[in-house]
Amino acid sequence: MRKSVRKTVLLCCEGKADQAFVAYLRSTYTAGKRGAPYVLPKQAGGKGGNHVIATLLGELRCSKPDRAVALLDADCPPAAAKRREARHHGIELIALEPCLEGLLLRILGLAVPPSSQACKERLKSIDRRDPFDPGFYAKHFPKARLDIERQSIPELDSLLALFDS
């Protein structure tokens, strides 16, 4: 019997909340699914889009995933030169407007404030826990809601497409 090779996706994001969201999506969309790609979320530790791409490029020097994706906050985008460097190395970019918390508010069907800080405060008014706390995503973002909202939110659809085999 021939052994199948599982595809890998290396995804680099800004911080703990982004990493926890991707890990939640992975557990929700790949649990028990044979042949699903392995999505490995890494965090860059903040510092904006340039740092996310630089961290991902560093990771690519040590590993060769099938796909490399940078999950970026649109409020601190990478410079044009860094975008070209990412494209040269085959890195896909997914930009969240203006940040992860803005995406989460859109999934919940709420208005999105223009700044990242205002988005974080608005999300805190819904649940005082940090988005990376255990159970936060499972409580507010069940699979049924994500499946419906991916049809109208392109960034969410791009993220969920990473888990399709």
Side-chain angles (χ1 to χ4, degrees):
M1 182 171 186
R2 194 173 179 148
K3 189 174 182 180
S4 66
V5 178
R6 193 172 180 187
K7 291 192 177 199
T8 58
V9 178
L10 178 59
L11 184 142
C12 191
C13 50
E14 282 208 24
K16 286 191 330 188
D18 308 73
Q19 186 181 32
F21 185 58
V22 173
Y24 169 71
L25 294 178
R26 180 180 66 195
S27 67
T28 302
Y29 282 88
T30 64
K33 188 175 172 187
R34 194 177 176 105
Y38 180 69
V39 179
L40 177 62
K42 295 274 185 175
Q43 66 164 305
K47 303 178 190 168
N50 284 341
H51 190 65
V52 171
I53 292 172
T55 301
L56 184 53
L57 289 170
E59 292 284 335
L60 291 176
R61 286 187 201 104
C62 303
S63 64
K64 298 290 179 205
D66 296 296
R67 291 173 71 180
V69 178
L71 183 63
L72 309 165
D73 289 348
D75 65 341
C76 192
K82 208 53 148 174
R83 284 182 177 270
R84 280 193 300 275
E85 188 177 2
R87 190 173 31 250
H88 175 73
H89 290 279
I91 295 173
E92 302 167 44
L93 305 178
I94 299 174
L96 304 177
E97 187 66 45
C99 59
L100 174 69
E101 289 78 6
L103 173 69
L104 298 176
L105 290 171
R106 280 195 290 160
I107 293 170
L108 293 173
L110 302 171
V112 178
S115 74
S116 294
Q117 189 58 40
C119 289
K120 289 175 184 176
E121 290 168 9
R122 177 90 167 104
L123 197 60
K124 280 275 188 197
S125 71
I126 296 165
D127 190 328
R128 298 198 60 73
R129 295 179 288 172
D130 286 317
F132 49 82
D133 280 352
F136 178 86
Y137 293 117
K139 178 181 178 184
H140 298 288
F141 304 94
K143 186 177 184 299
R145 176 181 283 271
L146 295 170
D147 287 340
I148 291 169
E149 296 302 326
R150 82 182 289 187
Q151 297 169 17
S152 60
I153 304 173
E155 300 95 319
L156 179 61
D157 187 52
S158 295
L159 267 174
L160 295 180
L162 298 175
F163 302 98
D164 295 337
S165 49

